[in-house]
Amino acid sequence: MPEKVNISDLKFESYSDKPLKVFSEMIANADNKLELGSMAAEAAGNAAALALFAINKTASEDAALTSAAKDIETLRTYFVHLMDEENKAKAPLEKRLKNGAPEDEIEGGVRTACAIVDEVLYSVIKVVEILDSVSDKICPCAAHIAADALIFARAALDTARLQLAWRSTQMMEEVYARTTRREPEIAIEGINPTIDALLKKFEANIK
């Protein structure tokens, strides 16, 4: 039987519009409702913003850079949105755990909670790929900024990976749990050589 809709369950606190000081304090609070999925989205948003900063600082009318900037800006705003979506996505799970729901319902809630974290992980990989596609066009004056974008991207990837690893421990279905833990590792292993090469390129261009 489908779960009954409780209007009070539809209310949630938005974190993306919090002042930085308040947001930082909320993270430090042991009772806060934020989890690493939201932290991954924040780091990913910083990665996108820094990549966009590097492109804009290059100040070129090159068509490829213009297109890259447009796509990265779309991703940047998406990451801000995902900060709140991750919080919303785990609400059904928290409700089911609190009410002692059957194992199959808890499993469904865990998978739903993982969905947004997956979005963060694969979307930040897209940021890296876009930056890679225009890396030869980034001016030396912005090389340090582009390099920092990659540092934040890597932080976002590992933060998402850790959240998914933790969520996998709540899963009853062993194969799905192993997949949830292993797929992010494979994705990161796949993009790490690109990140390493770009970091080497950008750092060499810091002049």
Side-chain angles (χ1 to χ4, degrees):
M1 180 182 295
E3 292 183 79
K4 293 182 179 179
V5 175
N6 187 330
I7 299 299
S8 62
D9 290 339
L10 302 179
K11 299 178 180 178
F12 77 101
E13 187 173 10
S14 174
Y15 298 108
S16 60
D17 58 358
K18 298 289 185 186
L20 180 59
K21 180 178 182 295
V22 174
F23 188 71
S24 179
E25 289 172 349
M26 291 175 67
I27 294 171
N29 188 337
D31 297 324
N32 84 73
K33 293 183 179 180
L34 291 169
E35 291 183 354
L36 291 187
S38 294
M39 299 301 96
E42 181 195 20
N46 286 333
L50 284 163
L52 194 59
F53 182 15
I55 291 172
N56 289 337
K57 191 173 179 64
T58 298
S60 169
E61 296 183 0
D62 180 88
L65 283 172
T66 300
S67 177
K70 181 179 178 181
D71 290 343
I72 292 175
E73 171 60 13
T74 298
L75 287 165
R76 185 193 66 77
T77 57
Y78 186 50
F79 289 131
V80 173
H81 171 70
L82 289 180
M83 287 175 62
D84 286 331
E85 287 301 301
E86 196 270 342
N87 188 42
K88 289 165 60 179
K90 62 184 172 57
L93 172 61
E94 293 174 344
K95 178 182 177 183
R96 292 169 193 177
L97 288 170
K98 182 179 179 181
N99 295 337
E103 286 188 356
D104 61 331
E105 291 185 14
I106 292 175
E107 181 83 12
V110 173
R111 296 185 186 188
T112 298
C114 289
I116 299 301
V117 188
D118 279 331
E119 276 291 298
V120 174
L121 186 138
Y122 290 104
S123 295
V124 79
I125 287 175
K126 187 63 179 176
V127 172
V128 174
E129 291 172 342
I130 294 171
L131 187 57
D132 183 35
S133 72
V134 296
S135 60
D136 290 336
K137 300 176 184 291
I138 300 296
C139 71
C141 67
H144 63 301
I145 300 167
D148 204 31
L150 295 165
I151 299 298
F152 273 93
R154 181 162 274 167
L157 290 169
D158 280 328
T159 302
R161 174 183 62 79
L162 290 168
Q163 177 70 356
L164 291 167
W166 174 67
R167 282 294 185 199
S168 74
T169 66
Q170 299 176 307
M171 294 176 175
M172 320 297 176
E173 214 290 306
E174 184 178 346
V175 173
Y176 202 93
R178 287 202 304 268
T179 301
T180 299
R181 181 183 288 264
R182 183 59 185 142
E183 282 189 346
E185 294 173 346
I186 293 172
I188 293 171
E189 288 166 6
I191 198 63
N192 265 341
T194 301
I195 294 176
D196 289 338
L198 285 174
L199 280 170
K200 185 176 180 179
K201 176 190 286 188
F202 289 137
E203 291 196 37
N205 284 336
I206 297 175
K207 299 174 181 177

